[in-house]
Amino acid sequence: MPAWRGVAYLHKYTAFLQRDLVRPRQRPRPPPYQGCLLNSIPDPGAAPVKSHRSMDRLKRLCKVLGSNYQERLDKLGIAAGHKEMDEKTSKALEQTIRVLEEAKEARFSKLQALGLKLRDLWKFHNTAPENILEFAETFACIDAESANELTKEKSLSMELISKATEEINTLEASMVAKQKKMYLGKKQKLLKLLEETHMVPADMKFDPKKKVESDFPKAISDLKIMIKQVKVQILERKDIVMRIELLQHAVNNSLSVKTSERLLRSLKNMVVLEGTFLFDGKDVKVVINEIEYEMKPASTKPALPVKKRMSARLTELRDKEQSSPDLPPPPYPSRVRDGNRERRKGVWGKESKR
């Protein structure tokens, strides 16, 4: 064999040895420890299991949930500071961690719902920041995407949930009182607008005597819609209402006849173009006829029936007689009737002869 072939073979063999020694052949690694398998057979002579990761996980869960870590270890029978345990204890530890994880997710969901409700109540009451600061953890729960983001001590404790629930109950009771006050305010505003434009609640299908004890937001919303509608009606009715008010005022006060007749004539022309127009619950044409009758002079008005034409003195005497029937009847107020009776008897003629 030539010398150069031997040298080449030697270099090739040396490189093979170096590769095998420096980087040995990779073998499949065993899977990481995942606790005790359910179908594994306990071996009394087996070596103790090291589960320091599980114990650290239990400690973090107890910190977030506000649970006592040492009590958990005592229940599991794990001495403080020991990281090694048998297979049965390791299995109980994994079960405890699983239960705490479920409790963590459940508390996170509940606290997030409470935080959303608190946020809406704080908006309604316009709560000061110093009062919201007490519920910073609850408020932070709203923006968290998962429970793993909350790592502060007792950030998912039952104490925090109870505190948030009590605050919600207090704010809701105060909110109901405020909503009732708002409802009454809106109701008075609606009635005032109806009075200004000479409308009645029945025109808006509103019953002011109806009592509202619950569902104030819906009642307030309905009142707001009615108030908007009445404001639109005020603008549309303003011209006719203003003329009717002016004529009613003219009846009770001195106003020239020509001016009153001109206003009445223009009002009649405007009403003809309108459809159904109610004024204080009555048809506007009826109201105009009443105003027109009041504007007529007293001489042109039809006389009252005979039974109603009675002097004030006779009316007063009749009332006294009805109020005190035991007293004797009062004398007749005039001597005219007695004089007529004597005249018929011829007494006046005798006196004149004398």
Side-chain angles (χ1 to χ4, degrees):
M1 184 177 59
W4 62 272
R5 284 184 180 274
V7 174
Y9 179 78
L10 182 61
H11 280 290
K12 186 177 180 181
Y13 183 72
T14 305
F16 174 79
L17 291 176
Q18 290 178 353
R19 184 185 64 182
D20 195 28
L21 292 173
V22 174
R23 190 179 63 184
R25 187 178 301 173
Q26 295 182 356
R27 299 175 182 176
R29 295 181 179 178
Y33 174 74
Q34 298 180 355
C36 302
L37 299 177
L38 295 177
N39 53 359
S40 62
I41 301 173
D43 187 4
V49 180
K50 293 183 178 180
S51 55
H52 58 278
R53 292 184 180 178
S54 299
M55 294 184 66
D56 291 342
R57 189 178 174 189
L58 177 65
K59 189 174 183 179
R60 288 195 300 269
L61 286 171
C62 290
K63 176 184 175 183
V64 174
L65 297 174
S67 181
N68 194 324
Y69 175 65
Q70 188 60 43
E71 288 182 2
R72 295 283 179 179
L73 293 180
D74 294 340
K75 287 183 180 180
L76 293 171
I78 303 173
H82 289 268
K83 301 293 184 180
E84 297 180 354
M85 62 192 74
D86 56 5
E87 189 176 353
K88 183 180 179 181
T89 307
S90 178
K91 185 177 178 180
L93 176 61
E94 292 295 330
Q95 180 64 24
T96 303
I97 291 174
R98 206 159 28 244
V99 172
L100 292 179
E101 285 286 355
E102 293 175 359
K104 178 182 176 182
E105 293 295 333
R107 291 187 187 182
F108 172 73
S109 300
K110 185 169 184 177
L111 201 59
Q112 200 169 37
L114 293 175
L116 292 172
K117 190 175 289 187
L118 273 175
R119 183 188 63 183
D120 296 337
L121 291 171
W122 287 332
K123 286 182 180 179
F124 179 83
H125 291 282
N126 196 18
T127 308
E130 51 268 18
N131 296 332
I132 301 177
L133 192 62
E134 300 179 12
F135 303 90
E137 293 297 330
T138 307
F139 199 71
C141 235
I142 301 173
D143 303 325
E145 296 181 359
S146 65
N148 296 328
E149 296 183 14
L150 303 175
T151 58
K152 191 177 178 181
E153 186 177 1
K154 296 183 179 182
S155 56
L156 292 175
S157 63
M158 287 302 299
E159 297 177 2
L160 192 60
I161 293 176
S162 301
K163 187 177 180 181
T165 305
E166 291 177 2
E167 182 70 9
I168 287 173
N169 294 335
T170 304
L171 293 176
E172 282 182 345
S174 179
M175 182 183 69
V176 170
K178 283 189 176 182
Q179 286 178 343
K180 186 175 182 180
K181 187 176 180 181
M182 289 174 61
Y183 169 77
L184 295 176
K186 294 292 181 184
K187 179 180 176 181
Q188 292 298 326
K189 183 177 181 180
L190 176 62
L191 294 176
K192 185 177 180 181
L193 290 174
L194 290 173
E195 184 181 359
E196 289 178 359
T197 190
H198 291 275
M199 295 175 66
V200 293
D203 297 339
M204 301 301 298
K205 297 180 180 179
F206 174 66
D207 185 9
K209 296 182 180 180
K210 183 179 178 182
K211 293 184 179 180
V212 179
E213 300 295 340
S214 61
D215 201 4
F216 287 104
K218 184 180 182 302
I220 293 172
S221 178
D222 294 341
L223 285 178
K224 286 182 179 179
I225 294 174
M226 290 183 189
I227 289 172
K228 288 182 180 179
Q229 293 175 353
V230 171
K231 287 182 178 179
V232 174
Q233 290 287 331
I234 289 175
L235 297 177
E236 295 176 354
R237 295 164 53 92
K238 188 65 178 177
D239 201 2
I240 295 177
V241 170
M242 183 172 57
R243 293 172 186 274
I244 294 176
E245 289 177 345
L246 184 60
L247 286 172
Q248 287 178 341
H249 186 73
V251 171
N252 301 325
N253 297 276
S254 59
L255 189 68
S256 63
V257 178
K258 291 184 178 180
T259 304
S260 301
E261 291 178 351
R262 191 181 300 112
L263 289 172
L264 186 62
R265 187 166 52 253
S266 63
L267 179 60
K268 287 182 177 180
N269 296 333
M270 294 175 65
V271 170
V272 171
L273 302 177
E274 292 288 336
T276 303
F277 194 97
L278 299 177
F279 187 89
D280 289 336
K282 297 186 291 186
D283 189 5
V284 67
K285 296 177 182 178
V286 176
V287 177
I288 292 175
N289 292 335
E290 293 176 355
I291 294 174
E292 189 175 10
Y293 175 79
E294 294 293 334
M295 289 174 59
K296 288 181 180 180
S299 58
T300 60
K301 293 182 181 180
L304 294 173
V306 178
K307 292 182 180 180
K308 293 185 179 180
R309 286 183 293 173
M310 185 181 293
S311 65
R313 179 61 178 165
L314 290 176
T315 304
E316 182 181 356
L317 292 174
R318 184 194 63 187
D319 296 341
K320 285 183 178 180
E321 184 178 356
Q322 293 176 355
S323 61
S324 56
D326 298 336
L327 298 177
Y332 196 77
S334 175
R335 285 292 179 181
V336 177
R337 189 171 179 179
D338 295 341
N340 290 338
R341 187 182 297 111
E342 291 177 358
R343 186 177 180 180
R344 285 196 300 271
K345 290 181 179 180
V347 178
W348 282 10
K350 294 179 183 180
E351 290 180 355
S352 60
K353 290 178 181 182
R354 289 178 186 178

